[in-house]
Amino acid sequence: AGDPEAGKGKIGACAACHGTDGKGTAPIYPNLAGQSAAYLESAMKAYREGQRSGGMAALMNPQAQGLSDEDIADIAAYYANLEP
Amino acid sequence: AGDPEAGKGKIGACAACHGTDGKGTAPIYPNLAGQSAAYLESAMKAYREGQRSGGMAALMNPQAQGLSDEDIADIAAYYANLEP
């Protein structure tokens, strides 16, 4: 599983839209706080593999492409660990 | 915007994985309670248009294909309205 503490240092770009508290900074950006880590990992990997093209995928794909599996696990753990 | 009360009558299939309370019934199913309605609509439409192929898309695409825009708005409003 990911390390939320390590994730804290990797969410700089994510926080612009998803907040450091995991609350979307605009309605179209999903809240991530308290979301299931397994789902967050699966969603980030889908963006990374180019398996999503609707909605904000155009913005998310390049973000996810820069992430390793470990980064994805840590970022997922960070947001899953937050109070919704 | 969608009508949460109408949405309550349309979430039979959704609740199998996302719960009537919006809490995923297994880690891979995302929690939807308190999620942004705009995001939920955009995600359901992406599944409906076949713009998602990763993760649970194989399961979500057929579910979403049966939904009208009004259904999607009502279902999104129902889950967005729940306490996370």
Side-chain angles (χ1 to χ4, degrees):
Chain A
D3 168 7
E5 272 314 304
K8 198 169 187 174
K10 299 178 176 185
I11 57 138
C14 318
C17 300
H18 297 293
T20 45
D21 60 356
K23 305 286 167 47
T25 56
I28 194 60
Y29 304 135
N31 301 318
L32 303 183
Q35 182 57 274
S36 119
Y39 174 72
L40 290 173
E41 287 193 33
S42 133
M44 280 188 268
K45 285 177 179 170
Y47 282 119
R48 186 177 66 184
E49 312 315 327
Q51 295 170 324
R52 290 188 169 191
S53 58
M56 289 286 142
L59 191 144
M60 274 302 289
N61 291 346
Q63 291 293 340
Q65 264 138 31
L67 301 175
S68 67
D69 285 353
E70 194 192 340
D71 294 334
I72 281 177
D74 291 345
I75 290 166
Y78 172 79
Y79 279 114
N81 226 21
L82 295 175
E83 208 36 56
Chain B
D3 169 6
E5 273 314 306
K8 198 170 186 174
K10 300 178 176 183
I11 57 137
C14 317
C17 300
H18 298 292
T20 45
D21 60 355
K23 305 285 168 46
T25 56
I28 193 59
Y29 304 135
N31 300 318
L32 304 183
Q35 183 56 275
S36 120
Y39 174 72
L40 290 173
E41 288 194 32
S42 133
M44 280 188 267
K45 285 176 181 172
Y47 283 118
R48 186 176 67 185
E49 313 315 325
Q51 294 171 325
R52 292 188 168 191
S53 58
M56 289 285 141
L59 190 145
M60 274 302 290
N61 291 346
Q63 292 292 341
Q65 265 138 29
L67 301 175
S68 67
D69 285 354
E70 195 192 343
D71 294 335
I72 283 178
D74 291 345
I75 290 167
Y78 172 79
Y79 278 114
N81 225 20
L82 297 175
E83 210 32 57

